[in-house]
Amino acid sequence: MASPDFDSIPILDLNQATTNKQQLLSDLRHALIHVGFFYIKNHPIPAAFLQALTAQTTGFFDLPLEEKHKSDKIHSPTFLGYSTQGNEITKNKKDNREQFDFANELPAPAPNESVQRIHEHLTGPNLWPSSDVLPGFRQTILEFHRQALDLSSELISLVAEALGLHPGALLDQYVVPGQQHRGKLIKYPAIDQLHQDDGDQGVGAHRDTASLLTILYQASDLPGLQVQNHAGHWIDAPAVPNTFVVNIGTGLEYLVRGVAVATTHRVLNPPARRGPRYSVAFFQGARLDRKLLPVDGLAPEVLELRKVDVVTDSGHQFSQVYREDPGLYAVLNRISSHRDVGVKYYPELAQKHGITVGST
Ligand SMILES: O=C(O)CCC(=O)C(=O)O
Ligand SMILES: [Fe+2]
């Protein structure tokens, strides 16, 4: 019998990894196949550290616009750094959110070094604000990055086990040391802070592209995040204290042959007079340096559970490119979200795919 569609997001208890692993793996398997989203509680990232992360996040967005623009994405081909409200596009509409994208610190290719593959332009130093204007920001964000990567790696091993694979089956093949994993700090203004024609799209309906897992910290106790169940209805994912929201990226969905589902979600701007909503997202990436083939070894009874009839409001832009060349896909995806940066640093690619700054 088909299980009924979800009307809330399950909460998994990471303590059970030591106290009752079979239960955890069974709950996780259900969440992967039937929901694509779950909360985790009793994770190892301390509450006090998350408070410090929230303080640095609000501190960054509270900086004068001219300071934030010193870190603007437009200064680098990596698509790291700040983007102002309305700069990002999802589903051909402007998103009402400001953000600061970061990654593990990696060197940029040297100017005269020949770049073998286009995605190598995505790696490079973060565009930090000066430590005089925001002391401790860089250290806190990099510490969050380290902790989130440890946590997502632990979760990916559990995902493999939940699908009947050995714990390293996904990490060993699809993640390499020193690759880039990206994250972002986000601010969604309340609707009374927006222009009348801006609407309330904080971020439009989308699936997280190409990554394996997203770990999301909801830093404000405000509504906004919604998850589309597989019949097409929008389900609220409210902030739950001391948890992370975890969701499946299209990369993992592809690599496990559709057994774990990359569920569509969106964020609405907060209601009037409630102030801004802040969140912090970490995206565990898959390697970009070669074509990736789906994992072997999934049992027929696991493959049989896969959903075939998911209703989604998000598209599958460039998904064929992902299968052929994940690195090119990553660049195209960045270009289509941040078109001014794309047109400046990747003019030929943008033109080839009909992406212009004014295009919607
Ligand atoms: O801010 C949120 O709650 C979700 C953000 C999100 O889905 C994304 O940036 O991919
Ligand atoms: Fe997302």
Side-chain angles (χ1 to χ4, degrees):
M1 199 184 75
S3 61
D5 207 347
F6 65 91
D7 56 12
S8 64
I9 312 296
I11 301 183
L12 305 190
D13 181 353
L14 204 54
N15 266 347
Q16 289 186 330
T18 43
T19 60
N20 192 352
K21 193 163 176 189
Q22 281 320 310
Q23 185 63 50
L24 176 62
L25 293 180
S26 152
D27 292 348
L28 178 56
R29 180 198 278 218
H30 184 275
L32 294 170
I33 296 171
H34 298 290
V35 188
F37 265 76
F38 53 93
Y39 293 90
I40 40 163
K41 65 177 184 184
N42 294 323
H43 56 74
I45 304 188
F49 177 72
L50 291 172
Q51 275 166 20
L53 178 67
T54 303
Q56 290 292 352
T57 301
T58 56
F60 176 79
F61 290 114
D62 286 347
L63 291 176
L65 196 56
E66 68 189 74
E67 280 301 334
K68 291 188 279 194
H69 275 313
K70 290 182 188 165
S71 303
D72 200 300
K73 285 189 175 61
I74 200 73
H75 300 308
S76 149
T78 57
F79 295 87
L80 295 171
Y82 175 67
S83 51
T84 191
Q85 191 177 310
N87 174 281
E88 194 193 27
I89 304 212
T90 304
K91 289 205 81 195
N92 289 326
K93 251 179 93 181
K94 286 186 179 186
D95 294 327
N96 297 308
R97 63 177 187 172
E98 276 181 87
Q99 42 183 320
F100 177 83
D101 286 46
F102 57 91
N104 38 331
E105 293 271 47
L106 293 165
N112 50 7
E113 194 177 294
S114 83
V115 166
Q116 310 269 321
R117 310 280 302 276
I118 193 154
H119 73 269
E120 291 171 30
H121 290 294
L122 295 177
T123 48
N126 288 288
L127 302 189
W128 302 116
S130 145
S131 60
D132 297 340
V133 301
L134 205 53
F137 180 74
R138 174 192 170 133
Q139 291 83 340
T140 305
I141 301 307
L142 287 177
E143 180 58 25
F144 171 70
H145 191 286
R146 273 188 290 277
Q147 297 202 24
L149 179 57
D150 282 352
L151 176 57
S152 66
S153 303
E154 181 182 352
L155 291 171
I156 303 256
S157 305
L158 289 167
V159 166
E161 286 189 88
L163 300 181
L165 302 167
H166 74 85
L170 300 170
L171 284 177
D172 294 352
Q173 278 192 77
Y174 303 127
V175 182
V176 281
Q179 76 168 69
Q180 188 181 59
H181 302 279
R182 304 173 75 95
K184 59 174 87 174
L185 314 179
I186 316 168
K187 174 183 176 181
Y188 300 90
I191 49 171
D192 55 336
Q193 301 301 309
L194 296 171
H195 220 258
Q196 246 180 358
D197 358 300
D198 286 339
D200 65 354
Q201 173 171 304
V203 60
H206 68 281
R207 301 165 352 122
D208 288 352
T209 43
S211 49
L212 299 177
L213 282 187
T214 303
I215 308 255
L216 178 82
Y217 176 58
Q218 303 200 67
S220 316
D221 185 14
L222 282 173
L225 176 61
Q226 295 187 319
V227 177
Q228 191 170 33
N229 79 8
H230 299 154
H233 302 123
W234 290 101
I235 308 297
D236 287 327
V240 177
N242 300 318
T243 64
F244 287 101
V245 175
V246 181
N247 63 282
I248 311 308
T250 56
L252 183 61
E253 181 183 86
Y254 162 69
L255 294 170
V256 299
R257 303 174 189 271
V259 176
V261 44
T263 295
T264 298
H265 52 289
R266 68 181 180 189
V267 177
L268 304 178
N269 291 94
R273 292 177 298 283
R274 299 284 300 277
R277 173 180 180 273
Y278 297 95
S279 61
V280 182
F282 171 84
F283 305 97
Q284 163 125 35
R287 64 191 298 177
L288 300 180
D289 57 343
R290 65 169 163 83
K291 183 176 167 138
L292 300 176
L293 295 176
V295 73
D296 287 324
L298 289 165
E301 63 272 21
V302 172
L303 288 167
E304 247 168 45
L305 297 170
R306 121 181 86 188
K307 291 251 161 185
V308 285
D309 50 0
V310 173
V311 176
T312 168
D313 283 6
S314 72
H316 295 255
Q317 200 187 22
F318 309 131
S319 52
Q320 191 51 38
V321 179
Y322 180 62
R323 284 158 173 66
E324 286 154 14
D325 185 346
L328 174 62
Y329 173 87
V331 176
L332 276 174
N333 204 271
R334 296 292 81 217
I335 296 179
S336 88
S337 291
H338 297 285
R339 296 174 182 191
D340 52 347
V341 184
V343 165
K344 178 171 175 187
Y345 295 102
Y346 305 88
E348 284 164 23
L349 204 53
Q351 195 187 26
K352 185 168 164 202
H353 291 273
I355 299 167
T356 60
V357 175
S359 61
T360 55

